[in-house]
Amino acid sequence: MVPPSSTAASGVLESVFHRLVSRRARVRDVEPVGGSFRLVTLEGDDLQGHRWVPGDMIQIGFAGFLGRAYTPLSFDAGAGALSFLGHVHGDGIASRWLASARPGEELYLVGPRAAIDLEAVTRPLVFFGDETSFGTAAALGATRERTRDVVSFFEVDSAEASRLALERVGVTTGLTLAVRSAEDRHLERVEDEVVSALRSAPNARCVFTGKASSIQRLYKAARRAGLSSRQVKNVAYWAPGRRGFSGVQR
Ligand SMILES: Cc1cc2nc3c(=O)[nH]c(=O)nc-3n(C[C@H](O)[C@H](O)[C@H](O)COP(=O)(O)OP(=O)(O)OC[C@H]3O[C@@H](n4cnc5c(N)ncnc54)[C@H](O)[C@@H]3O)c2cc1C
C-alpha cells in the first residue's frame, strides 16, 4: 500500500496523523478525459453512511501533511463511493498524483466537508468557474433544483478538451466557454454577459469558483449590477503561485 500520504518521505508520525483524522479510501477507477482531466472514483468502508451535500469538497492527503481539495460530482453513501473530476494542470503534488493514479491505490482523505452548499442556492443562478470547477457544476445537477435556470461560464485553456470533460460529467446545457487570452481579455466578454444576465434577473444568485483574481473581478461586476453580497458566493479554488487552497468562503 503506497497512499499519496505515506510515500517514503513521510514518517510514522504522519501515518498516525492521517489514520486519526482522515478516512481511508481506495482508487476504484481512473478515466482520462479530454487529455488533462481524470475522472477518479474512490471507494472505502470509511466513506459509508457519511452525509454529503452537493458542493462539498474532499481533501486528499499527501506526504508532508499536505491536503488538496476536490469536489465530488456524486456520493454514494450506501456503497461508500465518490467520483471527482481532477484537472492535471502542472507539477503540483496532486496534479502529479492524478496523472499517474491507478486503480487499487490506497489513500487518506478528509471529508466530504462543507465548501459551498449548492442545495441552499436558489435559482436563477449564474455560475462561473474554470477547469477546476467542472465537478462543482456537475454537482449542481445532483441538487433538488438540478440545473433549472442555471447559466454557466467557464474560462478554459482548451474549449475542445473542456467540452469533452463537461460532457463526460453531464454538464451540457446553458454553458459558455471563454478561452483564456493575453491580459485576461476573455474576461471582458464574460463580465459583460454575466452583468447582462443579472440585469434581466435581479433576484438571481451567483456562485463564482476557480481562479481567485477572476472571481474577484466578477464579484465586483455583480455588485455593480446591483446584487447584494448575500446573493454572491465566492470560493477561490486556486491562485497563481499559491498552493493548496482549502475553500474558505467569502
Ligand atoms: C473547495 C475546493 C474544491 C476544488 N475542487 C476541485 C475539483 O473538483 N477539481 C480540480 O481539478 N480542482 C479542484 N480544486 C482546485 C485544486 O485543489 C487546486 O488546483 C490545487 O492547487 C491542486 O493541487 P496541486 O498539488 O496540483 O497544485 P499546488 O501544489 O496546490 O500548486 C502548484 C502550482 O500550481 C498552481 N495551480 C494550482 N491550481 C492550478 C490550476 N487549476 N491551473 C493552473 N495553475 C494552478 C498554483 O498556483 C501553484 O503555483 C478545488 C479547490 C477548492 C479550494
Side-chain angles (χ1 to χ4, degrees):
M1 180 185 84
V2 186
S5 54
S6 60
T7 59
S10 68
V12 174
L13 179 65
E14 205 171 311
S15 171
V16 170
F17 170 82
H18 282 297
R19 273 162 222 269
L20 286 176
V21 303
S22 318
R23 294 164 207 281
R24 197 163 161 166
R26 189 172 45 252
V27 177
R28 184 163 82 195
D29 192 42
V30 185
E31 180 187 332
V33 185
S36 60
F37 297 90
R38 300 289 182 277
L39 182 56
V40 180
T41 303
L42 305 178
E43 63 184 1
D45 294 349
D46 282 3
L47 297 176
Q48 279 175 3
H50 196 73
R51 183 167 180 269
W52 171 72
V53 174
D56 279 357
M57 63 165 157
I58 56 165
Q59 283 171 300
I60 299 181
F62 292 92
F65 299 106
L66 300 176
R68 293 291 185 265
Y70 290 92
T71 309
L73 328 167
S74 59
F75 182 70
D76 181 342
L82 63 85
S83 298
F84 69 89
L85 187 73
H87 178 226
V88 180
H89 60 81
D91 74 346
I93 196 165
S95 286
R96 284 201 306 273
W97 173 73
L98 277 172
S100 62
R102 295 283 175 269
E105 262 178 67
E106 296 204 357
L107 50 81
Y108 288 96
L109 61 88
V110 176
R113 66 197 302 184
I116 314 171
D117 181 352
L118 295 176
E119 281 291 10
V121 182
T122 58
R123 307 316 196 239
L125 167 63
V126 175
F127 182 87
F128 171 81
D130 62 15
E131 292 93 342
T132 61
S133 318
F134 292 175
T136 313
L140 272 172
T143 60
R144 276 186 297 274
E145 301 233 37
R146 306 187 68 80
T147 49
R148 184 182 68 80
D149 269 345
V150 178
V151 288
S152 304
F153 299 86
F154 298 100
E155 57 170 340
V156 299
D157 279 343
S158 160
E160 199 185 337
S162 297
R163 244 179 245 293
L164 282 174
L166 284 161
E167 238 166 64
R168 181 63 187 88
V169 298
V171 181
T172 53
T173 54
L175 57 99
T176 300
L177 299 182
V179 175
R180 291 189 180 90
S181 57
E183 291 160 18
D184 278 348
R185 279 196 305 275
H186 63 287
L187 286 180
E188 287 164 20
R189 195 185 110 217
V190 174
E191 205 176 313
D192 286 349
E193 291 189 24
V194 164
V195 166
S196 108
L198 294 176
R199 292 230 158 97
S200 59
N203 63 334
R205 295 290 187 274
C206 296
V207 172
F208 296 154
T209 62
K211 189 179 177 186
S213 56
S214 304
I215 65 180
Q216 248 166 30
R217 182 169 168 168
L218 288 178
Y219 177 78
K220 286 183 187 156
R223 294 302 307 279
R224 277 199 309 274
L227 267 72
S228 70
S229 59
R230 287 185 44 244
Q231 285 175 274
V232 188
K233 278 198 190 309
N234 276 344
V235 183
Y237 283 3
W238 67 281
R242 304 256 319 264
R243 293 172 186 275
F245 268 44
S246 63
V248 176
Q249 278 194 45
R250 255 175 274 125

